[in-house]
Amino acid sequence: MIAVELRKLFRRPRTWATIAVLNALPVLVAVLVRLTDLVPRPGEGPPFLSAVLTNGSLFPLAALAIVLPLFLPIAVAVVAGDSVAGEAQAGTLRYLLVRPAGRTLLLVAKLVAVVAFVLVTVLVVAAVGYVVGTTLFDAQPLTAATGGTSVSGTGLTQQELVGRTLTAIGYVVVSMLGVAAFGLFFSTLTDSPLAAALGALAVLVASSLLFTLDAASPIAPYLPTRYWLAFVDLFRDPILWRDVVRGLALQGVYVGVLLAAAWANFTTKDVTS
Amino acid sequence: MTSVVRTRGLVKRYGRLRAVDGIDLDVRAGDVYGFLGANGSGKTTTVRMLLGLVLPTSGEVELLGERMPRAARRVLPRVGALVEGPAAYGHLSGRANLALFDAAGPGGPRRTRRRRVEEVLEQVGLGGIDRRPVRAYSLGMRQRLGLAAALLRRPELLVLDEPTNGLDPQGITEIRELLLDLHRGGTTVFLSSHLLAEVEQLCTRVGVLDRGRLVLQDELATLTAPTGATVVHTPAADRVPAVLDGRVVAVDGSRVVVRGADPAEVNALLVGAGVPVTGLALQRPSLEEVVLAAAGSSLDRVEVHR
Ligand SMILES: Nc1ncnc2c1ncn2[C@@H]1O[C@H](COP(=O)(O)OP(=O)(O)OP(=O)(O)O)[C@@H](O)[C@H]1O
Ligand SMILES: [Mg+2]
């Protein structure tokens, strides 16, 4: 069943179109930066972008930071929102269930497929970012001696840099799992994939908006988008673990609660689509 | 005889509406069961409950001797179903669709998948289908593909909700032949329909649903058994009452209904009295008459006030 869902997702032209579009923005940014040599000053604009002029191998991080606020969550929300509601709308859900693909197993398979999509998307963005960054900009030969530069200004060895980049990718994946959980939950509530995706996005937009509002500060620590950019902290020296850990815990709670709700709803629901 | 589909006091409520209202279905092994009902009488809702898609408000469902939806994992691989129209992934070919559905559940060995897919495509008349995506199929082709998916596991029980929707007359005949063929091979067929003619030509047993209630359930042969009267066609209808004193039930133009279940005897009396007889038959009620009498309202229509 899981293999079937993975096959369905990755044989679908739309999946790859989404990933392609997602990569277009960082590539465009890279080309513009290359042509104009203008970068935001450190601390403004997307993190890491200021650093790429001196070290192109930091561009994967910049690329992730560019797609993280909007593009990536939209893509994840669309795919997750489509997972169950899309089958319901097409009418294939009832035929899967009478095959029978057990409801719990189907939900797990959908979840695995969405997680795989998140992983593949983030890795492709990072990989394309690396290729673009190292071809367009001066890629300093990352020897153990030179390494990279942390956000705090101290040097990082290549080993450290690679390790931290992988950790950051993992962190972004976990952040997106929260979005996926919202999408999957809404997807079991409605028969319209559009409504499910918009529902998940509405949550994220509301969360980002509340985050900027002083009046909402009492609930700020619990907003799902609160710690998304905490992966930048991984590149400080020493690493600032506090927000990263909180971010992981918060996403864990959201994912757990939403998946439980999705399961409870889906396994007891009348399939009348 | 063993029951293949059995329900007891099956009820489904949607808010205040009782879509299915306490029905006791009994479909036996080897039946071709016609499940008749007007639009909105609850056929699809019942079928969904049989298959565990919709959970009953109360009552029990037994499929192939096991409780649904509890035993779905054991029972459903032995059941083929078509519920309210076919559905498929539009961007994939018919073959890819069948292979995906087969792989999505237990009990469809991968080794034989390709062969089984070809076989069922052949059976439903899609043997020569190319690699076109299903998006480009006509309605009738989709319906056939849906049937093919239902047949993929060589099911013991076929549950079909309006299987001939969207087919041309020739297609309908083909599907009827296919179902009769499967039936001869031992498959039990549960067929919901609002087409009386289809059910009359195909089914051995009939259940009639009227606004959620099962108002009739019996063998087709019993329902349309001779009434004990004989129908006589004669150009001299006015002379019949004089010959068959007191036995004439109704006169309608040249058609006379006479009490007595022996057409030969009626014929002899009439001919003996010099009344010309052009047609002679035992009277049998048509399924339509039986259903209308039981359901009490016209089929294929939703009442305005409910
Ligand atoms: N999900 C639902 N929510 C509310 N009411 C429903 C739902 N599904 C069906 N109904 C109602 O239940 C009744 C029975 O519907 P059902 O689809 O079972 O009829 P049907 O016999 O299959 O009709 P048709 O011949 O038109 O297919 C209808 O009055 C319908 O409006
Ligand atoms: Mg129906």
Side-chain angles (χ1 to χ4, degrees), chain A residues 1 4 7-8 11-13 87 90-92 94-103 268-273, chain B residues 12 14 48 52-55 72 76-77 81-89 100-101 103-106 149 153:
Chain A
M1 188 65 219
V4 171
R7 232 191 312 160
K8 268 193 320 214
R11 272 173 68 175
R12 203 169 171 164
E87 303 269 5
T92 43
R94 58 176 184 270
Y95 289 110
L96 288 178
L97 292 182
V98 302
R99 187 73 352 218
R103 296 192 184 200
T268 56
K269 134 185 171 138
D270 284 346
V271 175
T272 55
S273 58
Chain B
K12 181 64 194 183
Y14 288 115
R48 284 180 187 275
L53 291 172
V54 163
L55 306 174
L76 289 183
L82 189 65
V83 188
E84 209 166 45
Y89 302 102
L100 264 187
F101 279 123
R153 298 286 176 81

Side-chain angles (χ1 to χ4, degrees), chain B residues 7 22 72 74 76 105 162 187 201 204 245 253 287:
Chain B
T7 71
R74 277 195 306 279
L76 289 183
E162 318 224 358
T187 309
Q201 286 171 352
T204 57
D245 188 27
L287 183 60

